[in-house]
Amino acid sequence: MPADWIAQFPGLLRLEPAVREVLTRKSAVITVPEGTVIFGPGKSPENLLLLLEGRVRVQQVSEGGREIVLYRVEAGQSCVLTTACLLAHEDYSAEGIAETDVRAVAIPRPVFDDLVSQSVMFRNFIFTAYSRRITDLFQVIEDIAFQRVDIRLAQKLIDLERGTGQIKATHQQMAAELGTAREVVSRQLGEFQRRGWIRQSRGSIDLIDLSGLERLAALDVG
Amino acid sequence: MPADWIAQFPGLLRLEPAVREVLTRKSAVITVPEGTVIFGPGKSPENLLLLLEGRVRVQQVSEGGREIVLYRVEAGQSCVLTTACLLAHEDYSAEGIAETDVRAVAIPRPVFDDLVSQSVMFRNFIFTAYSRRITDLFQVIEDIAFQRVDIRLAQKLIDLERGTGQIKATHQQMAAELGTAREVVSRQLGEFQRRGWIRQSRGSIDLIDLSGLERLAALDVG
DNA sequence: TCCCGTTCAGTGATGATGTCACCAAGCGGG
DNA sequence: CCCGCTTGGTGACATCATCACTGAACGGGA
């Protein structure tokens, strides 16, 4: 009964039956513990991952040791950059980290190649996923270049709060989310706290007035 | 004798003969005049372009009307983002503009699909090109987030000077290259001029001491 | 339990960059 | 030659980055 994970990927639902059979037979469901570096400089992945549960954070690490979060791969999405990473032999400076325990379908490179070759639907699935990521990157570029940090911080807080009303992250980690400096985050969060939108404690942030943050976040463009 | 453009694309040289035949027979060499918008919001391209001559500038246009140059496609490269653009039906906010007159091989979407399906080499070619572009985007993000503008401007000047020692661009256009404001470019260029590295005139910049710019550009990271 | 080293957060000073408002110079078309 | 548009220059100020330093919070031995 391992086959039914396909239902979690709308783009694969209409897969040709023969292809579908190959996909389910030649791939494996794996689990990866939280914190694992899935790919990174000098660590090419051997598989394309389709996430069933959990979350992968993809971030850029610069030579100066600074980090910036590029995007996250959520359950139901695929980690397509690994495919480009598989084929191009330049080293990526980006790395993917399991942000939670992850359960995923692992498609070995030869099988991936086979599927791309044989199935129009699978090709669509892959190229659509690419498109999605590239759009994400465009958005990151636009935000960093043109958006005020207070607005971006408010947006990020809303984005990272997953129903819990709380975010477990240090100021340093929030700075990496935005590609800015820790001090900037500290000061902005201080301001948010003065306005009664959040409450801070070491290593976590409680959101107590989401609507205030949302008003700021909505200012968006200039 | 139209077939020999393949020699300009190292990644296609070892193409399987049958595939090579399909590629040359079903694609067309087209020319596009300078200034043409090749793809953009609301304008999906019908073809994948492989550039034989000329240059395409790909830039992001934000809602606030601001622009930022993402990368350039040069002769011998392919404009792969158009493939993602072809398949994914979200509108891109990026646009591609012919920066010079362009001569290119146009591969219609069905032929592209066919080639991806049939040829390992062609798949490699495409995914490698993707990888290259994504790496470019990572670099743009890192530069915008962490690099000083004077250094980036010096690098860009060196990059855009193509043997002529001169760059035809307004300060506004240079600002778009870096994702910064015109005033910042004006002031930095003023400083470069005071140092004797460049001479400015309306709409163009003469580089008269490349080594000075290179020293600054080499400071790179922090 | 108490040290004690480490991580995390707060803050002032200062430099770099972005924004706004405005002016002047250059260029081209009537 | 005049006029309007584009381009570039500049001061004032806001925002953001960096540096240097402080103290608080936490956790792991002794």
Side-chain angles (χ1 to χ4, degrees):
Chain A
M1 61 126 275
D4 271 6
W5 53 259
I6 283 189
Q8 292 192 39
F9 298 88
L12 296 179
L13 269 180
R14 300 154 60 88
L15 219 54
E16 301 83 344
V19 174
R20 188 181 175 125
E21 194 270 339
V22 170
L23 176 55
T24 52
R25 187 162 47 79
K26 294 195 176 171
S27 62
V29 174
I30 63 172
T31 62
V32 178
E34 178 177 342
T36 306
V37 177
I38 294 174
F39 64 91
K43 185 175 187 306
S44 296
E46 291 305 307
N47 302 290
L48 168 64
L49 296 187
L50 310 185
L51 263 65
L52 298 169
E53 280 173 28
R55 199 167 56 236
V56 174
R57 185 179 70 241
V58 177
Q59 62 192 14
Q60 166 88 327
V61 281
S62 89
E63 306 174 35
R66 301 194 54 167
E67 295 181 356
I68 180 167
V69 175
L70 299 171
Y71 61 83
R72 289 180 164 78
V73 185
E74 310 268 350
Q77 303 178 342
S78 60
C79 200
V80 275
L81 280 211
T82 57
T83 62
C85 196
L86 282 175
L87 306 201
H89 305 301
E90 330 175 28
D91 262 346
Y92 266 39
S93 51
E95 62 181 12
I97 295 176
E99 212 171 26
T100 64
D101 287 345
V102 165
R103 205 160 59 86
V105 180
I107 304 177
R109 183 181 160 165
V111 179
F112 169 76
D113 204 55
D114 202 39
L115 290 167
V116 169
S117 164
Q118 292 183 17
S119 166
V120 177
M121 293 305 299
F122 191 79
R123 278 199 292 280
N124 265 329
F125 177 73
I126 294 299
F127 282 112
T128 303
Y130 260 104
S131 172
R132 166 78 182 276
R133 292 312 164 196
I134 289 168
T135 304
D136 288 350
L137 293 180
F138 286 175
Q139 190 59 54
V140 170
I141 290 173
E142 187 168 322
D143 283 352
I144 295 181
F146 303 132
Q147 196 68 281
R148 286 168 33 188
V149 291
D150 55 349
I151 294 175
R152 295 203 293 136
L153 180 56
Q155 291 171 337
K156 192 57 84 173
L157 289 173
I158 294 167
D159 196 44
L160 293 180
E161 178 263 347
R162 298 168 192 273
T164 62
Q166 193 185 50
I167 296 168
K168 292 274 179 218
T170 65
H171 293 185
Q172 182 62 61
Q173 289 167 333
M174 290 305 300
E177 295 284 342
L178 303 177
T180 183
R182 178 191 61 80
E183 297 92 320
V184 174
V185 170
S186 288
R187 280 188 257 258
Q188 291 294 346
L189 287 179
E191 176 62 24
F192 289 177
Q193 188 167 40
R194 268 187 296 282
R195 296 183 194 174
W197 296 347
I198 66 171
R199 203 170 329 113
Q200 302 189 65
S201 55
R202 189 187 171 88
S204 77
I205 304 162
D206 294 297
L207 310 190
I208 56 183
D209 177 8
L210 214 40
S211 69
L213 291 170
E214 279 163 351
R215 274 196 307 280
L216 179 58
L219 293 184
D220 218 61
V221 269
Chain B
M1 59 124 272
D4 270 6
W5 54 259
I6 283 189
Q8 293 193 38
F9 298 88
L12 296 178
L13 269 181
R14 300 154 60 89
L15 219 53
E16 302 82 345
V19 174
R20 187 182 175 123
E21 194 271 337
V22 170
L23 176 56
T24 52
R25 188 163 45 80
K26 295 196 175 169
S27 62
V29 173
I30 63 172
T31 62
V32 178
E34 177 177 342
T36 305
V37 177
I38 293 173
F39 64 91
K43 182 172 188 308
S44 296
E46 291 304 307
N47 303 291
L48 168 64
L49 297 187
L50 310 186
L51 265 64
L52 298 169
E53 279 173 29
R55 198 168 57 237
V56 174
R57 185 179 71 241
V58 177
Q59 59 192 17
Q60 165 89 327
V61 280
S62 89
E63 306 173 34
R66 301 193 55 165
E67 296 182 355
I68 180 168
V69 175
L70 299 170
Y71 61 84
R72 289 181 164 77
V73 185
E74 310 268 351
Q77 302 177 343
S78 60
C79 200
V80 276
L81 280 211
T82 56
T83 63
C85 198
L86 282 175
L87 306 200
H89 305 301
E90 332 174 27
D91 262 345
Y92 267 37
S93 52
E95 62 180 15
I97 296 175
E99 212 171 26
T100 64
D101 288 344
V102 164
R103 205 161 61 86
V105 180
I107 304 177
R109 182 180 161 165
V111 178
F112 169 75
D113 205 54
D114 202 39
L115 291 167
V116 169
S117 165
Q118 291 183 18
S119 166
V120 178
M121 293 306 299
F122 192 79
R123 278 199 292 280
N124 265 330
F125 177 73
I126 295 298
F127 282 111
T128 302
Y130 259 104
S131 174
R132 165 79 181 275
R133 292 312 163 196
I134 289 169
T135 304
D136 288 350
L137 292 180
F138 287 174
Q139 190 59 53
V140 170
I141 290 173
E142 187 168 320
D143 283 352
I144 295 180
F146 304 131
Q147 196 69 282
R148 286 167 33 188
V149 291
D150 56 349
I151 293 175
R152 294 204 293 137
L153 179 57
Q155 291 171 338
K156 192 59 82 173
L157 289 174
I158 294 166
D159 196 44
L160 293 180
E161 178 262 346
R162 298 168 191 273
T164 62
Q166 192 184 51
I167 296 169
K168 291 274 179 218
T170 65
H171 293 186
Q172 183 62 60
Q173 288 168 335
M174 290 306 298
E177 294 285 342
L178 303 178
T180 184
R182 178 191 60 80
E183 296 91 321
V184 175
V185 170
S186 289
R187 280 189 259 258
Q188 292 294 346
L189 288 179
E191 176 61 24
F192 289 178
Q193 188 167 39
R194 266 188 298 281
R195 294 184 194 174
W197 297 346
I198 65 170
R199 203 171 327 114
Q200 303 188 64
S201 55
R202 188 185 173 88
S204 77
I205 304 162
D206 293 298
L207 310 192
I208 55 183
D209 178 7
L210 214 40
S211 70
L213 291 170
E214 279 164 351
R215 273 196 309 279
L216 178 58
L219 294 184
D220 219 59
V221 269

